[in-house]
Amino acid sequence: MHLFGIFCFFLVVFFNTKDTCADIQDMYYWKTPEFENQPLKDDDYIGPYPYYIRSNVDVLGSGYHAQSGLMIVTIGRLREGVPTTLNAFCTSDYPPGTSPHLWAFPDYKSNTLLPSDYSTNVHQGRKLDPEPTSDELRHKNPYNNNYYIKSDLRLISVYHASIDNKCNRLYVIDTGTMRTNDNVRYWIQKPALVVFDLPPDGCTTRKFPIIRRVELPESVWRDPLGFDYASIDHQIKGGCDDIFIYFDNIFDNSIVVYDYVKNDFWMLANHTSFLPVPDESYILDKYQLNYGVMNIALGWPDKKGNRIAYYAPGASTAEYAVTTKTLKGKRKTQSNFGSEFRLIGYHGCKGSIHRQFFDLSCGVMFFAHMASGEIACWNVGNPFNPNYLHTIIKPDPFEVFSDVYVDAEGYLWMHSCSIYIVLGSSDPLDITKVNSRLRKVRVQDAIRGTVCDTYGGLPDEIAWNYLDDQ
């Protein structure tokens, strides 16, 4: 039997089941978001478009900070009429089964567009804000005097949030670019990494100091609209600033690496394992999202501080891995990629991945399967094939999960949305129905009694002698 056919057979056997975890909680949902204290009315115009077009707006991603009870909510500006891109609410204010009202994070001023933002689009050339040349336009970062931040912080379009529970920080990538429903793109400013402090009383004060804002140099991107997720890699002997950050760009087919200490960026692009597979890019057999490399998940550190970085193109059923020693080495170019980038297995039919997250506490990876819409798990101590993948939840029809992560209290959060409509069509969202939803379950409850709860020992083909020889 053809190898792909074997995987399809295993997928039918192991994935064609109902939810196996009875303790999954439906936490929050949105038909269309409501916002607290909006500065403008829905039908007020900014440039050529109304401030809020409800049938264009869907909650794309989320991130939970357990210490403060803050839920970060992201709404990428992938269509016109999105009031704010980075938002939040406090979970203590909303019981399960409700639709929380959102407020702009850190404030509305940072998130509100200007009429001038529509003056130049991508087809007419880049319109990028120049760096300030006067100290009057800057203020020193109170956390680190070696870095400066624009006093007029602007957030154009953020897709996902990365919560650092170790140091209580929020990392987001502002693409600096917005897209309209007819696929016109406006490049307003350079893509930037923005880092916020998340104090324990943040829900009370709603004050979130900026720790750093740094623009990504043009040498590491061609299409900023493709920056999706960020993975934070703490070094074992360092403090909160001793980190590397890995950004995926789904349109450039690249991984961008940022050395936080040295404030240095470099890019790894166009390896064959980064490329989408068009035949595997369909969602619900109708919508096509032809995404390249995305969703980098980081395993345990070895004694030298290196990890296995697991990754996959969004449009692919394959799963790959590389050591972070290779990513951090700043020596790879398109012409000298080596065997460090390795195929470790296949997810099976409709097994393309939107997001994956490695839970360090139990050695289990969680996947948000894009094509099937399911959440699945895999214990990294087992071989990677559908025999060892377990379906945690099968979504409702036309529901697709876009985010999966584990918080500091051991809960697995699962966020679903209608991204396939927002990006894969020009259809309006049906705001009489639920378009996005947040669920959670304890990790141990999710995997108990499943193949993900069985550790078989780290396989040689994945461990590579646990990185020591790399």
Side-chain angles (χ1 to χ4, degrees), residues 31 110 125 128 178 228 235 338:
K31 295 179 179 179
S110 302
L128 299 176
M178 59 181 173
D228 203 11
Q235 304 305 287

Side-chain angles (χ1 to χ4, degrees), residues 355-406:
R355 176 65 159 154
Q356 56 190 17
F357 187 93
F358 184 88
D359 184 9
L360 297 173
S361 67
C362 61
V364 172
M365 188 97 76
F366 295 97
F367 305 99
H369 282 129
M370 187 184 299
S372 67
E374 298 169 341
I375 297 290
C377 62
W378 167 60
N379 191 309
V380 299
N382 295 321
F384 192 92
N385 63 57
N387 284 292
Y388 292 95
L389 297 176
H390 172 74
T391 300
I392 293 173
I393 183 173
K394 292 176 70 69
D396 296 334
F398 305 107
E399 183 181 19
V400 172
F401 287 95
S402 60
D403 242 337
V404 58
Y405 53 90
V406 177

Side-chain angles (χ1 to χ4, degrees), residues 132-197:
T133 57
S134 169
D135 288 340
E136 295 178 354
L137 297 179
R138 298 170 174 241
H139 68 271
K140 283 191 174 183
N141 181 349
Y143 287 80
N144 186 337
N145 289 331
N146 294 324
Y147 292 89
Y148 292 80
I149 303 166
K150 291 182 180 179
S151 58
D152 55 341
L153 172 69
R154 299 199 65 209
L155 296 167
I156 305 303
S157 185
V158 174
Y159 302 153
H160 294 280
S162 295
I163 303 292
D164 178 1
N165 289 301
K166 177 180 179 181
C167 294
N168 299 305
R169 292 179 174 182
L170 166 66
Y171 294 81
V172 298
I173 309 171
D174 173 27
T175 67
T177 305
M178 59 181 173
R179 172 187 180 271
T180 62
N181 201 25
D182 54 0
N183 203 27
V184 175
R185 303 181 183 189
Y186 295 87
W187 292 9
I188 298 168
Q189 58 189 23
K190 292 180 181 179
L193 168 70
V194 188
V195 187
F196 296 92
D197 181 46

Side-chain angles (χ1 to χ4, degrees), residues 43 102 149 252 265-266 294 360 422 439 441 450:
D43 56 359
L102 309 179
I149 303 166
D252 288 349
F265 291 89
W266 56 94
M294 62 192 308
L360 297 173
V422 174
R439 298 179 176 91
V441 62
T450 73

